[in-house]
Amino acid sequence: MSEKPSDVHATRLDAVRDRARALGIDHLVISSGEDMSYLTGERIDSHERLTALVVPADGGAPLLVVPALELTGPVRAAADRVGAVLRPWSDGTEPIPLVAGALSGRVAVSTALPALHLLPLQTAVDGEVLLASDILDPVRAVKAPHEIEQLAEAGRRIDAVHARMGEFLRAGRTEAQVGERITAAITEEGLTHAEFVIVGSGPNGADPHHDLSDRQIGRGDIVVVDIGGPLDTGYHSDCTRTYAMGEADPGFVEAYAVLEEAQRLAREAVRPGVAIGEVDAAARDHLTAAGLGELFIHRTGHGIGLGLHEPPFVTAGADTVLEEGMSFSVEPGIYRSGEWGARLEDIVAVTADGHRALNSGERGLRLLSE
Ligand code: ZN
Ligand code: ZN
């Protein structure tokens, strides 16, 4: 993966170092995963073999400890971008001392560091070992304009898949058959792959974690379709629309209208300076006032970027203060067990005075005739 501004990784590394110093952390250990992608621009995956970027908070050169057989172009590019010294290790030797030997003082490790490496590392260092999430998460949560554009592009592509839903979602097909067609469309629209495909028809829609089944979709069913995939730069899309097959029960139509308004109110609550819990409250209070609060059984949303689900989380009472550049989903849903589910999800980015929706497809209940 590559990104446009050449100094973007230097800027990110500086921001992370500043925050580490402010929190009294002397060294960071970043393992393969989204934190590594964010800092180096490369998704380095060395499976069970240890790859770790050791970053001194004081501004000294980072160290990139990497399996010798991974010394390929992307790893060298990653090291160049952050000015890291490469420290390869060969099978049959121990990488932990290479990392531990570079550490002193208070150490913070990225959340993706496997226990397989964390436990020996803890034994090998003298001081305290903490999680680096307090350092990385707030930096990653505030997106630069070029990152917002990546999320917007991913959003346009997933919107294009929803716009074609009439081709895929037909009465008589099973959820799995519909899911296969959606999966193909996600790559046709230029996303690298389908990260997830949820087609929850009828009672299956009432399970927010349902993905696909062999249930045949019938006339009159309500169908929740939640889909997403990343661009080749790693930035994700995630969008839910709810469809009605041919006709919908009037009681459901009424409930869906309340959900649509709850989601609009939550989006309208997004602006800098507001606690993120207020966004959750805007949706939840509206549903509760209409007697549907008990059917809304999850948080309102999650941050999105190089991670599909990342901080900040839009949870009741959460006190993260919104800043321009934060991006997250707004996805209230209602679930009537054994009958139906409905969810409406858009990605939004916080702007100087409100929000920008990064999905633009029709939000109302879409009737599909077979
Ligand atoms: Zn979703
Ligand atoms: Zn989501």
Side-chain angles (χ1 to χ4, degrees):
M1 57 191 261
S2 61
E3 279 161 333
K4 276 165 273 168
S6 59
D7 58 355
V8 63
H9 299 100
T11 306
R12 289 174 177 181
L13 192 62
D14 284 348
V16 164
R17 281 178 157 143
D18 287 351
R19 208 170 149 79
R21 281 198 303 275
L23 295 177
I25 299 294
D26 300 292
H27 284 91
L28 291 155
V29 178
I30 309 296
S31 62
S32 299
E34 289 147 14
D35 288 338
M36 176 80 83
S37 303
Y38 182 76
L39 288 176
T40 69
E42 298 294 338
R43 186 157 197 101
I44 302 169
D45 183 3
S46 54
H47 304 282
E48 76 286 357
R49 292 184 175 94
L50 177 67
T51 293
L53 180 70
V54 179
V55 180
D58 68 6
L63 205 64
L64 184 54
V65 175
V66 61
L69 55 80
E70 301 283 347
L71 272 182
T72 54
V75 166
R76 292 181 193 282
D80 276 355
R81 281 187 203 116
V82 291
V85 176
L86 277 168
R87 197 57 58 82
W89 62 276
S90 303
D91 282 354
T93 67
E94 267 304 315
I96 291 293
L98 292 179
V99 176
L103 301 174
S104 60
R106 294 176 86 214
V107 173
V109 302
S110 60
T111 52
L113 183 69
L116 169 72
H117 302 309
L118 173 62
L119 294 184
L121 184 65
Q122 272 184 309
T123 307
V125 299
D126 285 337
E128 217 180 339
V129 178
L130 306 159
L131 283 178
S133 33
D134 284 348
I135 298 161
L136 268 300
D137 291 354
V139 174
R140 282 178 49 189
V142 178
K143 270 71 181 174
H146 68 94
E147 294 183 279
I148 302 290
E149 291 313 318
Q150 293 284 305
L151 288 167
E153 182 59 30
R156 275 191 287 277
R157 292 175 190 221
I158 208 71
D159 289 349
V161 178
H162 272 296
R164 293 172 55 194
M165 200 54 64
E167 294 173 38
F168 321 129
L169 182 53
R170 302 233 171 114
R173 288 182 182 165
T174 66
E175 293 173 355
Q177 288 168 338
V178 172
E180 233 172 78
R181 288 167 167 85
I182 292 173
T183 298
I186 286 174
T187 51
E188 284 161 22
E189 297 299 339
L191 296 162
T192 64
H193 64 279
E195 184 79 12
F196 62 94
V197 174
I198 295 174
V199 180
S201 67
N204 289 342
D207 171 10
H209 283 159
H210 177 79
D211 47 16
L212 298 167
S213 80
D214 289 328
R215 183 181 184 278
Q216 195 176 58
I217 296 161
R219 190 174 167 79
D221 277 354
I222 301 302
V223 187
V224 177
V225 180
D226 187 354
I227 54 178
L231 291 176
D232 59 2
T233 52
Y235 287 88
H236 282 274
S237 60
D238 182 3
C239 182
T240 311
R241 295 291 182 258
T242 299
Y243 298 86
M245 303 309 296
E247 57 189 4
D249 172 78
F252 176 80
V253 171
E254 206 176 302
Y256 187 86
V258 176
L259 176 67
E260 192 180 349
E261 177 65 2
Q263 202 254 11
R264 190 189 68 79
L265 290 168
R267 282 187 287 115
E268 293 304 320
V270 174
R271 74 181 67 85
V274 167
I276 201 163
E278 303 280 316
V279 177
D280 181 88
R284 204 168 297 279
D285 291 353
H286 185 72
L287 286 161
T288 301
L292 298 173
E294 284 183 8
L295 303 187
F296 180 21
I297 54 178
H298 54 69
R299 65 189 177 206
T300 291
H302 54 83
I304 188 168
L306 290 172
L308 172 62
H309 290 184
E310 62 178 39
F313 294 100
V314 190
T315 314
D319 56 8
T320 300
V321 176
L322 296 185
E323 291 176 49
E324 185 175 355
M326 285 180 173
S327 60
F328 47 86
S329 69
V330 177
E331 51 176 309
I334 48 178
Y335 308 92
R336 201 178 282 287
S337 186
E339 294 181 42
W340 48 255
R343 185 163 61 254
L344 177 56
E345 173 178 29
D346 290 272
I347 305 302
V348 301
V350 183
T351 60
D353 57 359
H355 80 279
R356 171 181 169 194
L358 303 184
N359 297 101
S360 57
E362 178 60 42
R363 297 190 179 91
L365 181 66
R366 259 185 75 191
L367 286 171
L368 291 181
S369 54
E370 47 282 54

